Amino acid sequence: MGALVVFAPGWFFTIFIATAAIWGLYEVAAMTGALHMVAIPLFAVVGGVPLFGLLYGGDVGWLAPVLVILMMLALVARVAVAGDAEAFRGPRLVFIGAAYVGVLFPYFALLRNGPAGISMLLLVILLVVVSDSGAYFIGMYLGRTKLAPKVSPNKTVEGAAGGLIATMAAGWLLFQIRGGSWDAGPVLLFSAMISLLAQLGDLAGSALKRAAGVKDSGWIFPGHGGLLDRTCSLVFAVVFAYYWSR
């Protein structure tokens, strides 16, 4: 992924993201049991139209991605409270999953192919890795209070706080090394938002799987699940970074 971000021509990276998103739509269809002819128009309209529209025509405003993120967070809240998302199953869950991939995945290409996009996307990836790693290790050694046990049983409040602090520290250090022009306040705010959205994105991915009744989103990464498993921490953060950079 890092090599593609740095070295691929813009058109090739766009095709790569389109291909990845199509596979993501397939994973949603497989998870939700929508691999049948009746659901194809729904995936085409809800997932395919925004996917190719955004990749070809560019950004059309923040409202659509914000609405999709709010739908995913509503799914998280439902699972966190009830332990399942039975009310979301069926066409509603297919709609949410297709919109999640079709509307949000194009922002990987929109961010990377924009002004200073390569460095911004690399920064987001690095900060998300730090957030995930900090939350994991702090949670493993100090975690006591469950964050959302019905959504993701292993996540803890202490781990979430550790991931946030580690990301803010890493963001400050990276900007010092890079010699960026941002002041301390924007650096810390940006880093904190990336960590917060990475953790919410991870919970959203878990909630989608729990609502669908599956352990992993797919099998493309043996031992590590599917594409959506590997990207859920990045998606919300990338959307935020795109609008921040504008």
Side-chain angles (χ1 to χ4, degrees):
M1 180 69 170
L4 277 172
V5 172
V6 175
F7 298 112
W11 63 267
F12 185 88
F13 191 79
T14 299
I15 291 174
F16 170 75
I17 293 300
T19 303
I22 291 170
W23 183 263
L25 289 173
Y26 165 77
E27 289 189 350
V28 171
M31 280 195 295
T32 57
L35 284 173
H36 49 74
M37 291 298 294
V38 176
I40 289 177
L42 183 58
F43 274 99
V45 173
V46 180
V49 169
L51 170 63
F52 291 102
L54 286 167
L55 288 177
Y56 179 76
D59 173 38
V60 294
W62 55 266
L63 183 59
V66 167
L67 288 176
V68 172
I69 290 172
L70 289 176
M71 284 195 302
M72 292 296 291
L73 294 180
L75 186 62
V76 172
R78 173 74 184 198
V79 175
V81 172
D84 60 36
E86 186 174 349
F88 285 91
R89 288 177 184 160
R92 188 180 301 184
L93 189 61
V94 174
F95 179 93
I96 293 172
Y100 168 65
V101 175
V103 174
L104 302 188
F105 266 57
Y107 282 87
F108 283 94
L110 294 177
L111 175 60
R112 189 270 184 188
N113 293 337
I118 292 175
S119 58
M120 180 62 84
L121 183 53
L122 288 175
L123 176 63
V124 171
I125 293 171
L126 286 171
L127 291 179
V128 169
V129 169
V130 170
S131 178
D132 287 349
S133 301
Y136 174 78
F137 287 109
I138 297 297
M140 183 170 60
Y141 289 107
L142 301 177
R144 297 291 183 274
T145 309
K146 297 294 184 182
L147 179 64
K150 293 180 180 179
V151 180
S152 185
N154 295 326
K155 287 182 172 33
T156 63
V157 173
E158 294 83 0
L164 178 65
I165 294 170
T167 308
M168 293 173 71
W172 172 256
L173 180 61
L174 285 170
F175 271 93
Q176 292 301 307
I177 294 172
R178 181 172 174 261
S181 59
W182 294 3
D183 294 330
V187 168
L188 295 176
L189 176 60
F190 178 82
S191 302
M193 287 299 298
I194 292 297
S195 179
L196 175 62
L197 290 168
Q199 296 189 55
L200 287 174
D202 196 10
L203 287 173
S206 296
L208 182 63
K209 290 184 291 185
R210 290 201 172 275
V214 299
K215 181 179 182 293
D216 296 319
S217 68
W219 45 264
I220 195 170
F221 299 107
H224 296 278
L227 176 70
L228 301 185
D229 292 311
R230 298 297 93 202
T231 57
C232 59
S233 296
L234 286 167
V235 179
F236 292 178
V238 165
V239 174
F240 168 77
Y242 171 78
Y243 286 105
W244 174 286
S245 68
R246 294 189 64 185

